[in-house]
Amino acid sequence: MAVTTQQLIQWKQQGRAIVALTGWDYAIAQLLDAAGVDLILVGDSLAVILGYETTLPITLDEMIHHAKAVRRAVKRALVVVDLPFLTYQESVSQAMQSAGRVLKETGAQAVKLEGGHPAMVETVARLVQAGIPVMGHVGLTPQSVHQLGLRQQGKSPEAGERILNEAIALEQAGVFSIVLEHIPAHLALQITQKLRIPTIGIGAGSDCDGQVLVTSDIIGLSEKQPPFAKVYTNLREHITQAVQKYAVEVRDRQFP
């Protein structure tokens, strides 16, 4: 049975942890779905897969292209798509057009937006009123990399209070879940206990209602992993060895 946004909220109430990973093409998404992942995020971390240094350059068209491939592969998991930098911050109408394109053209069930300041909360509320499911994202927001850097957020009491208030405001605006990225574990626990909707942590400790990581990090395809990621296998090494072995056999005329 396909996972729904309401089911995620029920799982929080039941204490069932939510498993989320990123997906970027048909093959990877098919494997994640078959392995039982609950939520597949077509994240703007796709930018790194495509060779960009940050998430900022990726376009809405690129996100839609890859999200369509992911959605074609998925039978069970909830598919959520990041709106990339400057495709929703300018105005509510811009956000509505971008989010509408994602849902109409990809078949994904929801979009994700970064930030919880008042203007973003208003945008989220308008999207939800229009029938567009929205996932929130507070703490370290990678689209603000030039402003925030990649350091942990919410370490001071004032910064922690601000992030907590942003999360509460996003819940009131109608998000069905919220990503907490790279914040102290005690703050993530406080937010998780305060909200009715599920929190999905990434570098935010073990007390969130679910966890998400970038798939290329956990399978060892990334050149660098963030400090909070765990590498479960090293595909870079396996693929390199396989290709080297193939090359030797071709050159030695052992294959075919």
Side-chain angles (χ1 to χ4, degrees), residues 11-76:
W11 284 343
K12 176 185 176 86
Q13 295 166 351
Q14 296 164 2
R16 179 202 184 284
I18 297 162
V19 180
L21 282 169
T22 64
W24 58 87
D25 66 9
Y26 183 90
I28 289 291
Q30 195 174 46
L31 292 172
L32 298 182
D33 196 46
V37 170
D38 302 314
L39 187 154
I40 297 176
L41 173 66
V42 185
D44 58 6
S45 56
L46 168 65
V48 180
I49 299 290
L50 298 181
Y52 297 118
E53 289 187 10
T54 71
T55 62
L56 301 185
I58 198 161
T59 66
L60 184 62
D61 284 341
E62 287 172 316
M63 292 296 299
I64 287 173
H65 174 80
H66 286 265
K68 285 164 76 173
V70 168
R71 189 65 190 88
R72 285 193 290 266
V74 172
K75 292 182 170 59
R76 175 184 170 273

Side-chain angles (χ1 to χ4, degrees), residues 77-120:
L78 184 76
V79 177
V80 181
V81 181
D82 266 342
L83 294 186
F85 181 60
L86 285 186
T87 65
Y88 61 96
Q89 292 97 333
E90 186 178 311
S91 65
V92 172
S93 61
Q94 183 200 36
M96 194 79 69
Q97 184 176 34
S98 298
R101 277 195 65 196
V102 167
L103 265 58
K104 284 171 69 70
E105 296 179 32
T106 72
Q109 292 96 333
V111 297
K112 181 168 76 64
L113 283 64
E114 290 186 4
H117 55 80
M120 191 55 57

Side-chain angles (χ1 to χ4, degrees), residues 167-188:
I168 293 170
L170 285 168
E171 178 180 56
Q172 291 172 344
V175 298
F176 66 87
S177 66
I178 189 164
V179 171
L180 307 179
E181 180 165 0
H182 207 17
I183 63 174
H186 68 86
L187 176 59

